Amino acid sequence: MRFPSEDRRPSIASATTVSSVGSKSSRGFHKKLHGFFGDEFPGVDESSRKNSDSSLPPSAIYTSKGPSDSSAAQRARNRNNSFNNHSNVGSSRPESPGNFGRPQTPRSSEVTPWEFQDFGTNKGLPPPPDQNAANAARAPKGHHAHKLHLPGHRHTRSKDEPKTSDLTSGAPLRPVVSREESSSALRPNDFTSTFPSAMSSRATLVPRPGSPTPSSHGSIMSQRSPLPPSGGGKRSLSNPDISTKPSIIRTTTKDLVPQKHHGRLPFKSSRHHDLPPGRDPNEVDEQGTTGALWNLDTDLTSMEGIINSQPPMTPPADASEIFTGWPPEDAKASEKSIKESDPNAGAWDAPDSWAVKRIMDDNVARLKELDENGQVLKEENNGPPYCVRIFRADSTFAVLSVGLNTTVLEIVGLIGKKTFLQDELDNYHIVMRKHDTSRQLEQSERPLQIQKRLLEQAGYLEGDRIEDVGREDNSYLCRFTFLPAKMTGYSSLEKDPGFSKMQKFSHIDLQGRNLITIPITLYQKATEIISLNLSRNLSLDVPKDFIQACSNLREIKYTSNEAWKLPPSLSLASRLTMLDVSNNRLEQLEHAALEKLQSLISLRLSNNKLTYLPKYFGLYKSLRSLNLSSNSLSEFPDYMCDITTLVDLDISFNSISTLPQIGRLTSLERLWATNNKLSGPFPSSASNLTNLREVDVRHNAIDNIDVLAQLPTLEYLMIGHNSISSFEGTFFKIRVLHLNHNPVTRFDISSPVPTLSNLNIEKAKLAALPDNLFQKIPNLTKLNLDKNHFVSLSPHIGLLTKLEHLSIAQNLLSSLPVDIGRLTELRYLDLRENNLNSLPAQIWFAKRLETLNLSSNVLNTFPKPGAPMPALPDSTANTPAQTPGPGGPAYMGDELGRLEDYYARRPSQASAYLSAGGTASPGSSSSRKNSIASVGERPSGNSSARKGSLASRASDSTIAPMSRKDSSLSNRMMTTFAGSLRHLYLADNRLQDEVFDELALLPELRIVNLSYNILYDIPPRTLRRWPQLAELYLSGNDFTALPAEDLEEVGGLKVLHINNNKFQVLPAELAKVQKLAVMDVGSNMLKYNVSNWPYDWNWNWNHNLKYLNMSGNKRLEIKPATGSYTANGRGGKDLTDFTSLQKLRVLGLMDVTLMVQSVPDQTEDRRVRTAGSTVGSMAYGMADSLGRNDHLSTMDMVIDRFRSHDDETILGMFDGQSLAVGGSKIAKYLYENFKHRFSDELDKLRPHENAGDALRRTYLILNKEIAIAATGAAESKTASASPPAAGQKRPSITGLELSEEDLHSGCVATVLFLKEMELYVSNVGDATALLIHSEGSHKVITRKHDPTDATERQRIRDAGGFVSRHGKLNDALDVSRAFGYIQMSPAVIAAPHISQITIRDSDEMILIASRELWVYLTREFAVDMARSERGDLMRAAQKLRDLAIAFGASNKIMVMIIGVSDLRKRERARYRTHSMSMGPSGQADDFFASRRGKRGRDAVGDSKLARLDQEVDAPTGDVSLVFTDIKNSTMLWETYPIAMRSAIKMHNECMRRHLRIIGGYEVKTEGDAFMVAFPTVTSALLWCFTIQNQLLEVAWPQEILSSVNGQEVCDPDGNVIFRGLSVRMGIHWGTPVCEVDPVTKRMDYFGPMVNRASRISSVADGGQITVSSDFIAEIQRLLETHIESDRSTSLGSEESMQDDALSQMIRRELRSLSSQGFEVKDLGERRLKGLENPEYIYLMYPHALSSRLAVQQQRSEAEAAANNPGVAGTKTRDSQLTIDTENVWDLWNVSLRLEMLCSSLECAGTKELKPPETALLERMKDRGGEITDRFLLNFVEHQVSRIETCITTLYLRNLVRPFSNGGLLDQACGMAEIFGELTNQLDELKMLKENAAFDMAPA
């Protein structure tokens, strides 16, 4: 947005102005003024508090002098100014009334009829009727908009006039303060500005005086020019002949008395001057004059007939007004009498639209000034100097360095000195623009405070030198412009806002027009207006008379106006039914008078700052919809429950903890209360909500919904993310039930619910569902059971014959029931991440199945079609079709998951093959032929009229006949999913080549994903069985060739992934796949001549390629051709060139040897990677996918040797928003400029700062540059097409030209800076980075900026944004921080999360991935998969991407992995000699590399374990044995059998996972006890420590956590030391007897050593680790040995060429143990059951859990004390003392009582004595045992000393403050006061003594 003068050439004066901070002069006014105040200058914005009690009260402005009252000298000075010269032409009156509205006229008579009359030149004409005299006093209710003078139009005297008294007609109503005093004192709100401003805030921007009333006369009058077309009345601003003597119109106080008026016309007295009915003031009579000239009676001493002679009335005071003064008592009495006698008599109020200043403003000026947050500003000086850039109208600017508290008034004075003024300085304003909204700042506002607050919201800190940031262009946040009044205020309203072309005025949309009042045109059409949208007008004043004139107004939208208070006029729309005031800053509604709107049906108050609701809300009788979301309500008051008509209630995103009386809202149908603090059971009163249909209470802490289950009409219940642990009940009419993310362990429905169609119990803790449940929900269509603990499914699931969507991903299913084949309506089945090793053949009979996902299981085969399912025995009686199905509209608030939406997935999945109603059943078609070819038929909408077979539709050469020509097979296939299955995902299984035999029976396949199996070859003629194939994923197998002859038959193939295979060459036939768009051949063994195109593939024939990845082929060379291949068929063109691929977006050539220079250039829509897979000494890998996007929007950045420093590396990911056209320019800009800005910021760092500060500032600077480019692009778009004026500054950034789409887009970013061993992590947005440790754990090092996060949500609301119920910022954005999205700043900011981490030995790699990956992959899964390929990080990154695609990801993905374990090698290498090996062999990694997980058919049957390292071989010889057991497991199983089923699975998973990672051998389990063997003592101890720590992190079922044995226990420092199942462990080291069990084929251990180990574990309590003395001795030996070897210079831990892998592992484990620390406690000798000799037992704890020992000791003592009642201690038998021990305890009791008395007297105001604490005394007394004489003597001496101290204290108190003066406790005070008084008395005594001695001296 630009200002009006930006397109105009400068004048001569401006040409001589030096620098952009010089004077503005008159540049820019040589162009004609067409549209001067209209579209070219839609507004200069900022947040005004429209008409509200703003936190920034109105300011005092100098009394303005308009052109009509400027002196002759002033005119002479300005006459030659180019502005005046031009205005002479543009501002003169038109020649005829009909012409007055020509565009050249900058001011029209719509503003006011007497705007430019100069009555000094027309002696024969009377002075203009002074509207202000009559209107100035009007004080409209509820707001304090101020007097705003119109050009050439005087309200009162100016400062120039002599101070004369006008109070000739009686005493003033209230104290009068002269203008001189008010302006000189700069008191806020006392304005007499002559020139109004379009952007003025609610103070200056009162309604303009265009329409006196909405009457027809007023409308006519406002539309016509009242002056004749010729004569002296025509005014020219620069005519020297016109006298400049101002016409003085004085007003008396009587004129300022506001009165109530009733009806539409404000005049109520019997005599008043008005137009005769029907008279047109522009009609010319016979004398050539018009009726627009009247004689005005200006004798103000005689008011007879004008107002009544009754005493003046005080302004009406109601709840919406601020107290306006202190009238005399007689005035109050007279007002009362007037009100009682004749309420209509007396004076009148000027209509709001006349823009008369309210008298109450003087009182508002006395209020404290508030800041933007509504806080009272501190009274202080201007504060420290800050810089601010002030722009002028011609876009030049001046930089001021002034105090933080400098006001607008002072800034105007300063900038005026630097500017060539065209008018009086008083007539200039500061206008603030934020984005596309503007407002004029009041004179008392503080721009620097506003700027500072916005900068802080944007992320700047004090250390970022905010005081200097203002020097720069911060227009993206706010822009301050110094403008004359002529260019602000009402002048901007003169251009027709577009209503002249409108035919209907029923719906008026004024949003975002920067209005200050309602356009005059609408007054004529007021009665037609039904809905009015006033949103996003920050300075808008809504006149009461306009609202009253809108007699048919039903709907008002007043949103996003930053209002602190509602305009009082809104309450006058008596027939209003819908009021929307959401997204403002309302803190209370007490004064809004909304109780008057009794017709309201809908009221939206969302996203304000309401902390309570007014009581009048309970009085609404028609309100049906109430939205209170996103406020600060802490309670829902009972009186709100009186609105019995309420149907919809939204109280989401508040802090409401209870809804006790909600049941009184008996009409309620929808209740939304997400993200509150509701806890416990749902309130019992809710049982009265008999009409409730929909409840959404997600994200609370509700634990019981039995009340909701009883509601008779409830249909939709969303109660995810709560604390419900079980549900057993029933519903009446429920359709949709979401219980996801609750700790549900038990779910059952007690009686049939035939209406239930959608059930979601995702991420609960279910291990099973009751068998009879499925009978009770026969019409279920969607069932989601993801992320539970199901091991098997009930066979009764076959009863759900209407089920269409079934998802049971991420469970523990090992098999499926054969009844799965009865689900004949099933279309989507997701079984990924289970333990399925086979599928029932009956699954083929789910005949409508379209999507089947079986990825990440342990499948060996895909089933062959089996026999059809037998019919259910009682199918006729209990068929669900006979049960009443769910009727009514489908619930649209829920999506069907992520995988099933395949028709929008990628362009390749066009739904052209589907009929309108989805896939029709192949059915039993009577017309089908029994030919094999019919298997390949495509189902149509009508199965009885099927087309011919595929063979008949295509040539015989395209479809090979099946090998099995059995007609019975064809018949069987008709009732299977062979004709419907389109998307098949079988990645990450154990399938072999035989699987293609079954897959060839599926001719309708579009997507086939067979990645990461054990496939070697695709049988010939297989691909041609899939004629519709669009995507084929074969990554991670052992393929060496593709069936070349079949490639021609898959012409529709668009995506081909064959990376991570063993290809050496690629067939030339790939060039015939013309539609191929995505080709990934990375990480193969390619080595061929790419120019040998007749035999090998060359990319130049696949013109549609948009993604080509060849990275990781280290043997591939792209070099110029030497043979004759290039000339044939290519016109001699070089085939190594990529330029023919015009659609190419990503080209991956990492690690490929390039010998040509033909690599295409990078653009924002193309990424070319040619680097290697190492970054310095660190391994690096990356993979990406465009998903369904046609353009590139994600950039990766890797900079080695940053700033030429070997120890500095930058790794970054910039993930921009996908655009429909072109790539993300923002991402490209960040990619190119981040390193430069960051380098600059690093150089500027101060001594106490680090790289984290530089990173943060880099983000802020880059975001500012993007924002300036965006605002510049927006301004150039809205500005005229003419070239910019000379010298005009347009914000632009080199290389960043943003398109229309770019303006509303953004980019998330994650950047890592590695300097030596310090890692600095920064991120904005939702990409996530993990630091992966060598023991398999990880740490999240970024922060996901989610709008629903509590801290982010509060920040967003403070910045004026909001979070919707769907968790999106402003209901549009999934992230709360990002680059770009300028229109949403500062709600969206680029201030990054910064963390600093020191890389340790155990840190292995860093993984960064974009959001889409984390939607489908859990962090644990990603960590395991990355570590499984840690030898080749390129393969690891590709595997993560490929598996995300296999799980259903269809959006763009980027994965980056960098290995940091090599950093330690680099560090240690500095201290080595050159002769030592630098190779990586011998590392712990290499030891683990020898035991990669097997994918063979004999591998473990758990998919989670299978992706970990292979189990170690069973250790023999010296072995560490560990026995574990769960404490009180038997009792837990008896008490919580269902919860324990889930808990034991979590326990076992934790144990086995870390066994694989650390390297232990699971010998056997018995119940919940494990027996585990380890080759070393260090690995055994490390495993035990890890398990004890990890068990605290498990998400145990709620029943376990609520039990005594599983409750959470914290140490004194607040660290959790017990939580959930408590496991005891025992370790022994020795040499057992080792034998392989002949049945299980696993090693087993026998002998005394095993018995001893078992007995040692039995000594331990829950959470303890007991070890034998042999184990301790071995640990000590290893510590001594390996610490010495680590210190040795000749034998380091890296010298493993001569060392064995076992020693390396021991060193690694010792380092890990020492890093976490451990403690050992000697338990002494213990006799173990069944063993002859006692054993020394030790307790070992990791340091983090060492406080367990103290807690367990306290527990054991407490148990012992409970079991053994106390016995008083006695003296020893040989005691020499005669004292009785009972007397000793009594003496202690006395001392305790005296001490408590002294303590009570320390606290003034104590009412009663505190009882002594004797618990310790009783414990000591009852401890029992014998007490020695020495102890008794010392103890008695202690007690005597304590008693003496207490008595001394009491004596001193009584001496200074005698207890007899009113009681003991009345004299309570601190001892400091006692000593103070005592000291004073001693000083007085000393002084008296000295005086006495002095007096006696002469004697």
Side-chain angles (χ1 to χ4, degrees), residues 1251-1504:
D1253 297 297
L1255 275 172
R1256 184 171 45 78
R1257 290 170 189 152
T1258 304
Y1259 276 68
L1260 296 176
I1261 289 170
L1262 286 169
N1263 192 52
K1264 177 192 286 190
E1265 293 173 355
I1266 292 168
I1268 292 173
T1271 52
E1275 287 177 3
S1276 62
K1277 184 185 67 166
T1278 56
S1280 61
S1282 59
Q1288 178 176 319
K1289 292 178 68 68
R1290 271 191 188 170
S1292 63
I1293 298 177
T1294 306
L1296 184 57
E1297 295 294 331
L1298 299 182
S1299 67
E1300 173 73 18
E1301 277 198 315
D1302 292 312
L1303 298 181
H1304 302 285
S1305 71
C1307 178
V1308 302
T1310 302
V1311 178
L1312 278 57
F1313 175 57
L1314 194 56
K1315 183 174 176 62
E1316 295 179 349
M1317 303 305 293
E1318 290 300 311
L1319 174 66
Y1320 297 90
V1321 185
S1322 63
N1323 82 292
V1324 290
D1326 51 9
T1328 301
L1330 306 180
L1331 179 60
I1332 300 175
H1333 308 310
S1334 57
E1335 70 272 15
S1337 60
H1338 68 274
K1339 177 183 180 181
V1340 181
I1341 55 177
T1342 53
R1343 178 181 175 185
K1344 183 180 179 181
H1345 291 116
D1346 188 344
T1348 58
D1349 178 75
T1351 55
E1352 284 295 281
R1353 195 166 74 236
Q1354 186 59 46
R1355 182 192 64 76
I1356 290 166
R1357 287 174 60 177
D1358 290 343
F1362 68 95
V1363 180
S1364 70
R1365 202 161 53 92
H1366 305 293
K1368 294 188 175 183
L1369 191 153
N1370 289 359
D1371 204 19
L1373 206 57
D1374 288 319
V1375 293
S1376 59
R1377 300 193 184 199
F1379 288 100
Y1381 300 112
I1382 304 306
Q1383 298 303 316
M1384 297 189 205
S1385 66
V1388 178
I1389 61 175
H1393 168 263
I1394 303 286
S1395 58
Q1396 180 180 356
I1397 300 160
T1398 301
I1399 300 297
R1400 302 174 304 166
D1401 282 344
S1402 59
D1403 296 330
E1404 193 168 52
M1405 64 183 85
I1406 299 170
L1407 165 63
I1408 312 173
S1410 57
R1411 175 184 180 272
E1412 183 80 354
L1413 183 102
W1414 304 111
V1415 172
Y1416 293 92
L1417 268 56
T1418 63
R1419 291 169 185 164
E1420 292 75 17
F1421 184 96
V1423 167
D1424 293 345
M1425 282 301 176
R1427 296 193 70 249
S1428 70
E1429 299 285 351
R1430 58 184 174 272
D1432 186 342
L1433 296 188
M1434 186 70 75
R1435 296 175 67 94
Q1438 291 178 357
K1439 187 173 185 179
L1440 288 174
R1441 178 208 57 186
D1442 293 337
L1443 289 176
I1445 293 173
F1447 289 174
S1450 58
N1451 210 336
K1452 58 182 180 178
I1453 297 174
M1454 179 171 282
V1455 184
M1456 303 171 70
I1457 307 179
I1458 189 164
V1460 294
S1461 58
D1462 298 322
L1463 283 176
R1464 284 292 177 190
K1465 300 178 190 176
R1466 187 171 69 184
E1467 285 292 300
R1468 295 190 182 105
R1470 298 180 182 182
Y1471 306 105
R1472 289 182 175 178
T1473 62
H1474 293 289
S1475 62
M1476 293 184 179
S1477 169
M1478 297 287 288
S1481 59
Q1483 293 302 302
D1485 291 349
D1486 297 301
F1487 171 75
F1488 283 111
S1490 64
R1491 56 183 188 93
R1492 289 280 188 262
K1494 291 187 294 185
R1495 285 192 303 178
R1497 298 191 173 186
D1498 57 341
V1500 66
D1502 187 322
S1503 62
K1504 291 184 179 179

Side-chain angles (χ1 to χ4, degrees), residues 1028-1057:
Q1028 315 294 341
L1029 189 65
E1031 300 181 20
L1032 180 61
Y1033 300 91
L1034 300 172
S1035 309
N1037 285 285
D1038 294 312
F1039 289 112
T1040 56
L1042 289 174
E1045 65 278 6
D1046 287 356
L1047 292 175
E1048 298 179 34
E1049 310 299 332
V1050 286
L1053 189 65
K1054 295 183 179 180
V1055 178
L1056 179 61
H1057 277 220

Side-chain angles (χ1 to χ4, degrees), residues 1612-1666:
D1613 297 328
N1615 302 312
V1616 177
I1617 55 173
F1618 290 103
R1619 184 179 173 277
L1621 296 183
S1622 192
V1623 177
R1624 64 169 64 93
M1625 295 177 163
I1627 318 178
H1628 184 42
W1629 183 77
T1631 309
V1633 177
C1634 309
E1635 291 183 5
V1636 176
D1637 188 284
V1639 176
T1640 64
K1641 308 297 184 186
R1642 295 187 65 80
M1643 184 69 74
D1644 204 351
Y1645 299 90
F1646 308 95
M1649 182 264 181
V1650 179
N1651 298 335
R1652 190 172 294 273
S1654 174
R1655 296 296 178 262
I1656 288 171
S1657 71
S1658 64
V1659 176
D1661 194 6
Q1664 289 184 341
I1665 304 168
T1666 50

Side-chain angles (χ1 to χ4, degrees), residues 1778-1806:
T1778 57
I1779 186 172
D1780 189 359
T1781 52
E1782 281 298 321
N1783 293 339
V1784 174
W1785 305 129
D1786 292 341
L1787 193 66
W1788 190 8
N1789 197 7
V1790 169
S1791 70
L1792 288 175
R1793 294 169 69 89
L1794 283 171
E1795 285 174 336
M1796 190 53 71
L1797 172 61
C1798 292
S1799 177
S1800 299
L1801 290 173
E1802 277 288 319
C1803 304
T1806 304

